[in-house]
Amino acid sequence: MKRRTRILVVGASVLIGVFALMQLVPYRISNGPVTAEPKWDSPQTRALVVAACYDCHSNQTKTPWYGKIAPVSWWLKGHVDDGRAAVNYSEWNKPQRKAQKSARAVQQGSMPPSYYTWFGLHSKAKLTAAQRAALVAGLIKTLGG
């Protein structure tokens, strides 16, 4: 075997080994119980919030298949933990420190994040202008702000 080929084989083997070992780190998303939800102004608002926000801002996260593979699982867990810390629509009986900023975040386009719908994933969260306006209006009626 040529030296260059041997280096490539060893390098690939090390990368595969590291990737396999990464899977042993149990850093995955877990869903707690739903203890309380906001009193939504309409079923339409709730449906839009579920489609666009619940995967990061509730205890009803649906993890895609690739979200169970490290290091993606680590990134997703951190993202969901941050989202739930800001607003968790499944634990409305607890203080939600940024709830009133939700409508503004949707209106400004920072929520849901653009990367959330890349590659056609989470297509329900890709809001039309009309859906975005309805979500903003519903969040204001429901949460204030």
Side-chain angles (χ1 to χ4, degrees):
M1 206 184 272
K2 290 184 181 177
R3 178 174 159 80
R4 180 180 285 175
T5 304
R6 191 172 331 133
I7 290 172
L8 287 174
V9 168
V10 169
S13 298
V14 168
L15 286 175
I16 291 169
V18 168
F19 182 77
L21 288 172
M22 287 169 47
Q23 305 315 307
L24 299 175
V25 178
Y27 199 59
R28 308 278 192 273
I29 296 169
S30 62
N31 289 321
V34 176
T35 55
E37 271 194 30
K39 294 189 185 334
W40 300 107
D41 74 306
S42 71
Q44 177 192 19
T45 298
R46 184 182 188 282
L48 287 168
V49 171
V50 168
C53 311
Y54 260 46
D55 275 344
C56 296
H57 295 283
S58 80
N59 292 345
Q60 299 175 46
T61 301
K62 294 179 181 131
T63 306
W65 67 267
Y66 57 85
K68 297 176 179 151
I69 301 169
V72 174
S73 62
W74 304 344
W75 179 80
L76 282 177
K77 171 124 174 59
H79 185 77
V80 170
D81 287 350
D82 291 346
R84 288 176 178 171
V87 177
N88 188 336
Y89 294 111
S90 295
E91 296 180 356
W92 211 249
N93 55 324
K94 296 179 181 177
Q96 302 298 323
R97 61 185 173 94
K98 293 187 178 178
Q100 291 187 328
K101 296 179 181 180
S102 299
R104 189 172 342 128
V106 172
Q107 191 171 38
Q108 292 173 342
S110 60
M111 287 290 152
S114 61
Y115 60 80
Y116 188 63
T117 58
W118 285 352
F119 311 116
L121 304 169
H122 306 289
S123 58
K124 291 180 183 178
K126 192 164 193 155
L127 303 173
T128 65
Q131 288 172 318
R132 187 173 293 278
L135 178 55
V136 168
L139 286 170
I140 289 171
K141 288 178 187 172
T142 302
L143 310 176

